[in-house]
Amino acid sequence: MMVGMRILVIGSGGREHALVKGLSADPKSTEIHAAPGSAAMSALATVHPDYSQVDDADRMVELAQSIAADLVVIGPEVPLVAGVADALRAAGIAVFGPSKEAAQIEGSKAFAKDVMEAAGVKTARAEQLRPGAPEEEIEAALDRFGPQFVVKDDGLAGGKGVVVTPDLAAARAHVDAVLAAGNPVLLESFLDGPEVSLFCLVDGETVVPLLPAQDHKRAYDNDEGPNTGGMGAYTPLPWLPEDGVQRIVDEVCAPVAKEMARRGTPYSGLLYAGLAWGEEGPAVVEFNCRFGDPETQAVLSLLKSPLAEALHATATGTLSELPPLEWEDGFAVIIVMAAEGYPASPRKGDAISGAALDDPQRVLHAGTVHTDGAYRTAGGRVLSVLGKGATLADARADAYATVDGIEFAGGFVRRDIGKRAEDGEISL
Ligand code: GLY
């Protein structure tokens, strides 16, 4: 294993801030860079604001070479689906993140369905509609679904192109909007049961799970309002059976990794299984080809093992030699502080105040800039606020205490992140 590592993290959000924080805590890291990174990351990493076009493979290779990076960690899906990992690998640089072909597991929902079918993995029934589909075909397809409609943009939407609704007119409106934008639509049957996000390090057929987490996708309390990229998360899941993670690995992640290898597109990086735990156990809602946001901020906060070593082992095909991952006891909770108007049209430029803003043990920045002496809102999800505790109730209280010390005009949070689990209301 390499003694000192120069690491480049690609991305600028809350997930990347958590990665930078975790990597900088690993004594194996000698130097962390982030492209473009954010002002808030600059205490832990050298940031490169000029490298904001993260799907520009030539620029990312140029930066990685100029800093002599030993490892590049790609945060968001867009550069992965664009093939940035392939370009870096072709330049001889170790990369944490799948190839363009393997990233199709997120980039194309139809590709993911095909892999799952071949691997015998449980998932929703689905039908695709292509741009230009005639009226009768759209109506007939919608007739075969419901009462709960799941309508997905089968282009890449960063988890934000999904509408789940019992309202046929709303489902139809989303079908029309996606087709009009030139993307195919995927209609899916609704999977019932509590949701689980399980992140696995995958290197070929070796699969190492991290702690399971649960996201909260709707904008407002009690799961009301529009779908978002995620408004908060907690980990681990007190209601999951003891063999729950192993079942997900055995029934979902390992068969998919094996099938990807069989196809000649082996997976290397983070495989994110988004699942619903129904009567028959775990079924796949979606796969992502990268760490989830905001679950990562909670999950990595409990990791005791060195992060750089784990990501480097994945990138270099030596994951099977990595010692078992160790985790802190207790729970972690992430509360997303969002800007007014999120998700439709978040307002930007509002000054943010709060004593914890420069403490990455409590606050990870998702969409902020630092101008005129203050942090200001610069995205829909502005901050990821972290709480930890021996119990889920303690972790929630810790996170909300920090939230209550932070202010910006129009900002909002969900007050019920992890609450149903804390109250014992989630059962299988
Ligand atoms: N937490 C949802 C996502 O990362 O897509």
Side-chain angles (χ1 to χ4, degrees):
M1 163 57 57
M2 188 167 278
V3 178
M5 273 191 265
R6 275 195 213 90
I7 305 174
L8 170 62
V9 175
I10 294 180
S12 61
R15 162 187 52 205
E16 288 77 24
H17 197 176
L19 286 164
V20 163
K21 174 183 129 188
L23 291 166
S24 64
D26 184 340
K28 292 227 168 57
S29 313
T30 49
E31 216 176 284
I32 313 284
H33 293 255
S38 66
M41 285 182 205
S42 56
L44 301 172
T46 305
V47 298
H48 297 270
D50 292 346
Y51 290 81
S52 57
Q53 187 75 37
V54 295
D55 58 353
D56 183 335
D58 291 344
R59 293 271 289 160
M60 294 302 124
V61 171
E62 173 206 308
L63 177 61
Q65 285 176 329
S66 74
I67 62 176
D70 300 299
L71 173 67
V72 178
V73 178
I74 303 180
E77 64 278 15
V78 172
L80 291 165
V81 172
V84 171
D86 309 62
L88 287 158
R89 285 196 184 99
I93 301 164
V95 186
F96 182 84
S99 67
K100 178 177 178 160
E101 267 189 280
Q104 289 304 303
I105 197 87
E106 172 167 1
S108 164
K109 304 294 174 204
F111 173 90
K113 292 275 169 196
D114 204 41
V115 170
M116 282 187 272
E117 198 172 313
V121 167
K122 278 202 286 292
T123 186
R125 180 174 64 82
E127 284 184 40
Q128 198 191 47
L129 290 166
R130 301 203 62 81
E135 179 63 26
E136 317 80 72
E137 187 185 328
I138 298 174
E139 273 181 21
L142 279 166
D143 269 354
R144 290 190 285 273
F145 290 87
Q148 191 77 327
F149 296 91
V150 181
V151 183
K152 292 187 175 176
D153 183 338
D154 197 18
L156 193 66
K160 296 173 252 324
V162 187
V163 166
V164 181
T165 177
D167 178 359
L168 176 60
R172 177 62 203 253
H174 193 53
V175 168
D176 291 344
V178 174
L179 294 178
N183 286 343
V185 164
L186 211 63
L187 295 176
E188 286 187 356
S189 58
F190 180 69
L191 290 172
D192 224 352
E195 290 190 7
V196 180
S197 299
L198 185 71
F199 304 159
C200 293
L201 304 175
V202 176
D203 138 30
E205 294 190 27
T206 306
V207 176
V208 175
L210 309 188
L211 290 183
Q214 188 178 56
D215 192 7
H216 295 61
K217 292 260 171 48
R218 300 283 183 152
Y220 314 130
D221 283 20
N222 303 316
D223 292 327
E224 287 175 7
N227 236 40
T228 70
M231 289 296 293
Y234 64 96
T235 184
L237 307 177
W239 45 266
L240 199 66
E242 214 165 301
D243 65 348
V245 167
Q246 196 56 48
R247 275 194 66 184
I248 297 169
V249 170
D250 293 345
E251 296 175 28
V252 175
C253 301
V256 163
K258 193 167 181 190
E259 170 61 17
M260 299 286 282
R262 191 196 64 77
R263 289 173 174 233
T265 53
Y267 199 92
S268 169
L270 196 289
L271 182 65
Y272 166 153
L275 309 133
W277 195 288
E279 272 173 19
E280 292 170 20
V284 174
V285 177
E286 65 177 5
F287 281 112
N288 293 311
C289 63
R290 36 85 192 168
F291 280 100
D293 191 342
E295 300 98 307
T296 299
Q297 292 87 307
V299 169
L300 292 186
S301 77
L302 295 179
L303 180 67
K304 287 205 289 190
S305 304
L307 181 62
E309 185 176 327
L311 303 190
H312 188 260
T314 309
T316 54
T318 56
L319 189 55
S320 60
E321 294 159 30
L322 188 74
L325 294 178
E326 290 182 30
W327 300 94
E328 282 178 27
D329 291 334
F331 293 83
V333 172
I334 284 286
I335 313 297
V336 168
M337 299 187 78
E340 181 174 318
Y342 178 71
S345 51
R347 197 171 79 191
K348 297 183 180 166
D350 291 304
I352 311 167
S353 66
L357 286 175
D358 273 317
D359 178 0
Q361 304 304 333
R362 297 192 157 271
V363 179
L364 297 153
H365 289 239
T368 69
V369 288
H370 198 269
T371 53
D372 302 327
Y375 284 111
R376 292 177 188 279
T377 59
R381 292 190 291 177
V382 177
L383 301 169
S384 306
V385 175
L386 173 65
K388 286 164 69 169
T391 64
L392 185 51
D394 292 344
R396 292 186 68 240
D398 187 41
Y400 282 113
T402 302
V403 164
D404 291 339
I406 297 174
E407 261 187 71
F408 53 94
F412 71 97
V413 297
R414 275 183 64 158
R415 287 275 158 193
D416 63 347
I417 302 300
K419 174 115 180 51
R420 292 189 60 231
E422 179 191 325
D423 293 346
E425 285 173 12
I426 303 182
S427 56
L428 300 177

